[in-house]
Amino acid sequence: MKIILVGASGDVGRAAYAELASRHDVVSAGRSSGDIQVDLTSGDSIEAMYRQIGPVDAVISAAGEVEFGRVSDMTTDKFRFGLENKVLTQINLVLFGLETVREGGSFTLTSGILDRDPVRMGTGAAIANGALGGFVTSAAIDLPRNLRLNAVSPGLLDVSADQYGAWFPGHDPVSSKRVGLAYAKCVEGGITGKVVAVD
Amino acid sequence: MKIILVGASGDVGRAAYAELASRHDVVSAGRSSGDIQVDLTSGDSIEAMYRQIGPVDAVISAAGEVEFGRVSDMTTDKFRFGLENKVLTQINLVLFGLETVREGGSFTLTSGILDRDPVRMGTGAAIANGALGGFVTSAAIDLPRNLRLNAVSPGLLDVSADQYGAWFPGHDPVSSKRVGLAYAKCVEGGITGKVVAVD
């Protein structure tokens, strides 16, 4: 398969790449690194990426940013930031890719654990993750050409635990290997409309 | 209890009002109707409402708008509309109300069925509902002064079926009475962080 992987340089993207790159042609994309540069907040940038790469069998996004903070310190704009930079960005990748992904191909987005197993300061992430879950559940029944759509929703990755573990009391980090397998399940398997939790 | 009910004139708002108004002091609010006018897209308007009404025991929102359409006809802006007008609006009501709701009081928001039981054209709603689910799950563990936070997630209401039923094939409309009870469960009961489905 030919696969576009956006956000390839992050911990989650590296887990997906490690699982898939040995048996597929994975084109890595990122804001400032990878085989090709793309800004998911810009439809023009996404269209240019798809035009440059051409038809593919799968698109994976492991890209997204949210603001962290206690609810009492959050503002409308801080919540909006996550909706713009983790939700609408990944939705853009689907909307602009509907013609580029081949018949029966797939989109796999990335949400995260914080809407089902919340932590303090994580509400910006929880909102974004919930929105992405609603998107894949619903849009999957409404896509053309047998396209499939899923999201991987990983817990805190083992490789991220040193940096972020203090915000996740009692969370058991998940192995990057298992996270990579979840992307393989979505790309190589037949499921659609699913949020694949890796807990 | 003294309760603010925003969106009191809609089908869902009327169901909540019918259940609660006989035994509580319910102040109805809406964009253009009700005891008091409020624009949930404006922090200033929400602050003015809270200042005018003063301390309350509960805030209910039954307000929210999304765009409907097939995924292939949707745009980033149409999805953004629902995030702005159903998600960030209701979040605003919580953020600006943290000081006005009394110790142990509650916020009850309104999501909907379309993120768990999707229909074609309903993806804008599914995204908003999922986001609201993430918000209540996470923010509930992070609120000051024992404040509670839940969402009621009703299916298609019986009274709405004539107008919207064609978009919900095979959905069994839910009674407005049961929807009203769900708001009573959130306001008068002790739960927090829950999405109360009425299917």
Side-chain angles (χ1 to χ4, degrees):
Chain A
M1 293 188 197
K2 186 168 184 178
I3 302 170
I4 299 175
L5 170 56
V6 182
S9 67
D11 288 346
V12 173
R14 275 199 294 269
Y17 190 89
E19 179 60 36
L20 292 165
S22 64
R23 55 186 183 276
H24 301 290
D25 173 14
V26 179
V27 181
S28 64
R31 214 161 23 186
S32 55
S33 62
D35 302 322
I36 192 163
Q37 271 66 65
V38 65
D39 171 6
L40 295 188
T41 67
S42 160
D44 289 346
S45 176
I46 296 171
E47 282 191 322
M49 176 191 74
Y50 280 129
R51 209 163 37 234
Q52 187 173 343
I53 299 176
V56 297
D57 302 287
V59 175
I60 297 171
S61 165
E65 287 182 289
V66 302
E67 293 263 8
F68 279 76
R70 299 298 298 259
V71 168
S72 51
D73 297 328
M74 291 293 280
T75 61
T76 315
D77 278 342
K78 288 181 178 181
F79 286 124
R80 181 180 285 119
F81 179 87
L83 295 172
E84 292 287 339
N85 291 282
K86 186 168 182 178
V87 178
L88 290 173
T89 43
Q90 296 195 86
I91 288 176
N92 277 343
L93 200 60
V94 176
L95 293 181
F96 289 98
L98 292 175
E99 307 296 322
T100 300
V101 177
R102 294 192 181 102
E103 166 92 24
S106 68
F107 295 93
T108 305
L109 310 183
T110 298
S111 61
I113 194 172
L114 293 180
D115 59 332
R116 65 181 178 280
D117 196 0
V119 301
R120 286 198 184 98
M121 306 186 68
T123 299
I127 294 170
N129 296 345
L132 289 163
F135 177 66
V136 304
T137 303
S138 179
I141 67 166
D142 202 20
L143 291 180
R145 300 188 300 114
N146 298 311
L147 297 174
R148 297 183 299 105
L149 170 63
N150 299 286
V152 172
S153 178
L156 176 68
L157 267 65
D158 47 13
V159 294
S160 312
D162 276 354
Q163 192 174 354
Y164 300 111
W167 292 358
F168 289 72
H171 280 236
D172 191 9
V174 298
S175 80
S176 298
K177 172 70 182 171
R178 288 184 58 228
V179 172
L181 287 171
Y183 290 92
K185 182 181 285 186
C186 294
V187 169
E188 299 172 337
I191 60 174
T192 191
K194 299 296 181 189
V195 175
V196 179
V198 185
D199 286 336
Chain B
M1 294 188 198
K2 186 169 186 179
I3 301 171
I4 299 175
L5 170 57
V6 183
S9 67
D11 289 345
V12 174
R14 276 198 294 268
Y17 190 89
E19 178 60 36
L20 291 165
S22 63
R23 54 187 184 274
H24 301 290
D25 173 14
V26 179
V27 181
S28 64
R31 215 162 20 185
S32 56
S33 62
D35 301 322
I36 193 164
Q37 271 65 65
V38 66
D39 171 5
L40 296 188
T41 66
S42 160
D44 289 346
S45 176
I46 296 172
E47 283 190 323
M49 176 190 74
Y50 280 129
R51 208 162 39 233
Q52 187 173 341
I53 299 176
V56 297
D57 301 288
V59 175
I60 297 171
S61 165
E65 286 182 289
V66 302
E67 293 263 8
F68 280 77
R70 299 297 299 260
V71 168
S72 52
D73 297 327
M74 291 293 281
T75 61
T76 316
D77 278 342
K78 288 181 179 182
F79 286 124
R80 180 181 285 118
F81 179 87
L83 295 172
E84 292 288 338
N85 290 282
K86 186 168 182 178
V87 179
L88 290 172
T89 42
Q90 297 195 84
I91 288 175
N92 277 344
L93 200 60
V94 175
L95 293 182
F96 289 98
L98 292 174
E99 307 297 322
T100 300
V101 177
R102 293 191 182 105
E103 165 93 24
S106 67
F107 295 93
T108 305
L109 310 183
T110 297
S111 62
I113 195 173
L114 293 180
D115 59 331
R116 65 182 178 281
D117 196 1
V119 300
R120 288 198 182 98
M121 306 186 68
T123 300
I127 294 170
N129 296 345
L132 288 163
F135 177 67
V136 304
T137 304
S138 179
I141 67 166
D142 203 19
L143 291 181
R145 300 188 302 113
N146 297 312
L147 296 175
R148 297 182 301 105
L149 170 63
N150 300 285
V152 171
S153 178
L156 176 66
L157 267 64
D158 47 13
V159 294
S160 312
D162 276 353
Q163 192 174 353
Y164 300 111
W167 292 359
F168 290 73
H171 279 237
D172 191 9
V174 298
S175 80
S176 297
K177 171 70 182 172
R178 289 183 57 227
V179 172
L181 286 171
Y183 290 91
K185 183 181 284 186
C186 293
V187 169
E188 300 172 338
I191 59 174
T192 191
K194 299 295 183 190
V195 175
V196 178
V198 185
D199 286 336

